[in-house]
Amino acid sequence: MIGIIDIGIGNIPSIVSALKKKSIEFKICKSKNDFNNVKKIILPGVGSFKTFSQNLYNNSLYEVLKNQIQAGMPILGICLGFHALFDLSYEFGKHQGLGLIQGEVKSLKTLKINLRVPHVGWNECFVKKKSLLFKGINNNKNFYFTHSFSPIKVKDAYILGTTWYGNELITAVEKDNIYGVQFHPEKSQLNGLLLIENFSKIS
Amino acid sequence: MLKKRIIISLTFFDGILFRTKKFLPDYRYTKNFIDLWNADEIILIDVSRYQDKQNEKFIKIIQFFIENCHLPITVGGGIDTIKKAKKVFDCGAEKIILNSSSYSNIHLTEKLVRIYGSSSVIHAVDLKKNKNNLYDIYIENGKRIIEGNPIKYIKKILSTNTGEILLNSIDNDGSLLGYDLQLINYISKYINVPIIVQGGGGNWDHFYDVLKLDNVSGACTQNIYHFTEKSLISLKKFLKKKNIKTRIDDTNL
C-alpha cells in the first residue's frame, strides 16, 4: 500500500486518479497515525517550500517521514516533494528540508538561465543510469514540468536524470530507497503513469 | 528542449460547455469528445457568477477532468478569495488563472503566489484595440475597461511574481482569423515570464505564425471542432514539418 502524504496544499486528487488508473492500492496520510500498512510513500507537492515545510512540521509528519525513510521505506518525492528531499531551500527565505539527500534548492534565476522563469511545459528527462523507476521509458520522453526552483550541489552518484532548460537541471534523483522527480508524473500521461507504476513495483 | 504547448481552453456556464464569443451552449460536443491524449494542457473557465459560493456544477467538471486526463489542468473564472482558490487546488488543479480580482485586490494575487508558488498562478490579461490603434485592458469578461497605461498595469501584475501570463485578444476571440500578432509583439517584450496566447486560432497556419515567436510558450484553442481525435495530432505533425517542436512522439497515436 502506498501512503500519499497530504499536508493540506498538495495536489492529492491527481495522484489519486493516477494510482486508480493503474489499480495501485493507496491511502492518504495526514498525520503520524495514518501509516498503518503503508509500505511506500509518495510525497507530492504544489505550493511554495515555506508553506510546505511549515505544514510538514505542524502536522507532525516530519519526524515520522524521516524515520520511516531512514528505516528503508521507498519514497517518491514529486516537484516540491522532490525539493523537500534535500537539506535546504531558498524559496521565500531559507528553509530546512528533510535532509535525505545532500543538496540545496535555489531559484532558477540564480542558475544563469537565459530563459523565462518558471520553467513550464513538456520537456525531456535524460536518464543517466539504469533505474527501476524509468523501466520501459526511453530517454527522449517528455514530462510535464512547472517550477521556479531547482536543486544544486547534488552528488553525481545520486543524479538519475537531467533536463536541459538553458542549463542542465537536475530533475531526477535516486539514493537507495529515495527517489525524486522534478516533473509531475501524475500529469504526464502515459510515461508519467508508467513511472508511477514502476515505483509501485519497487520493493 | 522545452516544447511549445497546444492548450485546449473550455468555457462553462452553469456547468454547460459554451462556445465563446456568441456564448451559445454547445450540446453537440460533450467533454467526452475532447482528445485528451494529444492536448498538452487543458484550461477550464467558469463564466457563471455566483455571489459568494462556488459553482458546484463547475467543481464537478474539474473533478471529471482530473480523474480522466492525467494532464495539467488549469482553472479560472471568478476566483476572488483564498477559499475559492483552495477549493480548486484541492480538486487537483495544477494552476489557477486570476484576472479581474487583481484589479481590486492585488494582495490576493500576492498571497496566492506565496501559498501555492509562483508557477501555480497564471494571470490573464484581456486586451482590445481602441480607435487610436492602441490597446486597452479589460476586466470582468470584457465588460469593464481599465483606465491608464496597459504596460503599467501589466508590470503591476508581474510584481506579484505570477508565473505565467495568458494574453487574450478580445477582438480576435472566436474570429478564427488568427492570433493578434501585433498585440503579442507589442506586449510580450515587457513580460519576463512564459506567455500563452488566446483568441483567433482558426487554421494550422495561425498556430505556426504564433508559436514560431520566441516569446510565446503556448497557444490556446477554444473552438471544439478543432479537437476531434485526429485534429490535434495532425496540427502537431504540421508544426513538426515546420520545425516547431511540440510534444508529439510519445503519445500513443
Side-chain angles (χ1 to χ4, degrees):
Chain A
M1 172 115 54
I2 291 186
I4 306 170
I5 307 296
D6 180 5
I7 57 148
I9 53 166
N11 196 342
I12 307 302
S14 313
I15 307 273
V16 165
S17 80
L19 292 174
K20 278 187 181 162
K21 176 89 181 170
K22 289 288 182 183
S23 309
I24 299 164
E25 282 198 314
F26 65 89
K27 71 192 281 194
I28 309 287
C29 302
K30 290 186 175 183
S31 81
K32 59 180 177 185
N33 305 319
D34 297 335
F35 284 82
N36 280 346
N37 298 325
V38 168
K39 300 279 184 275
K40 283 192 195 82
I41 293 167
I42 289 181
L43 182 60
V46 167
S48 72
F49 198 94
K50 186 181 173 182
T51 328
F52 187 83
S53 60
Q54 276 168 358
N55 287 19
L56 214 53
Y57 274 107
N58 294 345
N59 301 357
S60 65
L61 282 161
Y62 184 86
E63 284 305 317
V64 64
L65 263 181
K66 223 173 153 164
N67 292 342
Q68 297 279 19
I69 296 159
Q70 276 166 355
M73 189 180 282
I75 180 173
L76 175 63
I78 296 172
C79 197
L80 201 61
F82 164 62
H83 293 171
L85 303 176
F86 301 97
D87 299 318
L88 276 178
S89 169
Y90 289 89
E91 189 170 356
F92 294 116
K94 187 174 169 183
H95 306 281
Q96 253 190 348
L98 289 163
L100 298 164
I101 297 181
Q102 230 175 46
E104 50 191 58
V105 179
K106 286 223 159 163
S107 165
L108 288 174
K109 285 175 184 162
T110 65
L111 301 185
K112 293 186 182 132
I113 289 170
N114 209 7
L115 295 169
R116 283 160 196 262
V117 173
H119 170 220
V120 187
W122 296 81
N123 205 338
E124 292 113 345
C125 182
F126 293 98
V127 185
K128 298 258 176 190
K129 54 190 174 193
K130 216 175 158 189
S131 165
L132 291 172
L133 196 63
F134 282 89
K135 197 179 166 191
I137 302 169
N138 291 338
N139 237 338
N140 58 348
K141 296 303 181 190
N142 291 295
F143 295 93
Y144 183 74
F145 289 83
T146 170
H147 62 119
S148 329
F149 286 75
S150 188
I152 55 167
K153 297 182 186 168
V154 181
K155 277 188 188 155
D156 273 351
Y158 305 139
I159 298 174
L160 179 56
T162 60
T163 297
W164 186 260
Y165 188 64
N167 201 333
E168 195 183 30
L169 307 180
I170 299 164
T171 52
V173 292
E174 176 178 349
K175 181 191 174 191
D176 306 322
N177 55 324
I178 302 160
Y179 299 84
V181 289
Q182 177 65 68
F183 51 82
H184 285 274
E186 78 282 12
K187 304 269 188 186
S188 299
Q189 293 187 326
L190 289 182
N191 298 309
L193 296 186
L194 182 54
L195 186 139
I196 288 174
E197 190 178 19
N198 285 342
F199 175 69
S200 76
K201 289 178 179 164
I202 289 169
S203 52
Chain B
M1 71 178 281
L2 187 65
K3 309 300 178 299
K4 300 271 179 164
R5 281 174 279 162
I6 309 289
I7 301 164
I8 291 178
S9 173
L10 301 174
T11 305
F12 293 87
F13 181 83
D14 208 20
I16 297 162
L17 182 62
F18 270 60
R19 289 271 294 282
T20 49
K21 192 77 170 179
K22 289 178 190 149
F23 280 98
L24 294 171
D26 200 332
Y27 297 107
R28 288 171 301 162
Y29 306 95
T30 71
K31 49 200 173 195
N32 300 322
F33 270 70
I34 294 160
D35 178 11
L36 305 176
W37 292 92
N38 285 304
D40 298 317
E41 187 169 335
I42 294 172
I43 291 180
L44 305 173
I45 302 285
D46 185 21
V47 290
S48 38
R49 288 290 178 270
Y50 292 77
Q51 280 301 307
D52 291 321
K53 62 175 195 205
Q54 225 148 357
N55 180 353
E56 284 306 320
K57 286 180 194 162
F58 184 62
I59 294 293
K60 286 214 167 64
I61 286 164
I62 303 171
Q63 286 164 341
F64 173 88
F65 279 90
I66 297 293
E67 278 162 29
N68 292 286
C69 296
H70 313 293
L71 268 179
I73 307 285
T74 297
V75 175
I79 299 174
D80 53 8
T81 62
I82 300 269
K83 202 176 155 195
K84 285 183 188 172
K86 181 174 171 15
K87 177 92 178 166
V88 166
F89 280 118
D90 284 349
C91 286
E94 183 66 37
K95 300 184 273 197
I96 54 168
I97 300 177
L98 300 179
N99 191 349
S100 308
S101 66
S102 285
Y103 181 70
S104 49
N105 187 3
I106 194 89
H107 300 300
L108 174 75
T109 311
E110 288 167 352
K111 213 166 169 184
L112 285 168
V113 168
R114 267 204 306 278
I115 300 172
Y116 291 98
S118 182
S119 50
S120 302
V121 181
I122 297 184
H123 208 292
V125 184
D126 295 347
L127 295 113
K128 192 176 185 330
K129 205 182 264 186
N130 61 29
K131 58 180 189 299
N132 301 323
N133 212 19
L134 297 168
Y135 289 93
D136 293 316
I137 293 179
Y138 285 74
I139 55 169
E140 294 165 10
N141 285 329
K143 288 189 203 84
R144 186 171 161 197
I145 189 169
I146 303 278
E147 303 292 345
N149 183 338
I151 302 299
K152 212 173 151 191
Y153 186 70
I154 287 177
K155 284 190 170 160
K156 188 178 166 191
I157 288 166
L158 290 170
S159 73
T160 64
N161 279 325
T162 182
E164 277 176 281
I165 294 288
L166 167 58
L167 274 186
N168 182 38
S169 157
I170 294 175
D171 299 307
N172 290 33
D173 187 15
S175 71
L176 308 183
L177 295 170
Y179 295 90
D180 189 340
L181 301 175
Q182 186 197 336
L183 164 73
I184 294 160
N185 282 322
Y186 165 57
I187 298 281
S188 66
K189 55 179 178 283
Y190 299 101
I191 299 174
N192 59 354
V193 297
I195 298 169
I196 54 180
V197 297
Q198 176 163 295
N203 62 42
W204 295 167
D205 279 315
H206 294 153
F207 284 89
Y208 171 69
D209 290 341
V210 75
L211 288 174
K212 74 178 177 196
L213 302 175
D214 283 342
N215 287 346
V216 173
S217 302
C220 303
T221 173
Q222 297 167 285
N223 290 283
I224 277 277
Y225 52 82
H226 283 154
F227 8 105
T228 53
E229 194 176 311
K230 290 204 176 77
S231 67
L232 275 191
I233 193 78
S234 60
L235 167 60
K236 288 183 168 185
K237 280 179 181 160
F238 171 85
L239 292 170
K240 189 180 180 178
K241 272 189 210 144
K242 297 216 163 204
N243 224 4
I244 303 279
K245 299 245 184 322
T246 62
R247 181 182 66 120
I248 184 169
D249 298 321
D250 49 1
T251 51
N252 60 341
L253 295 168

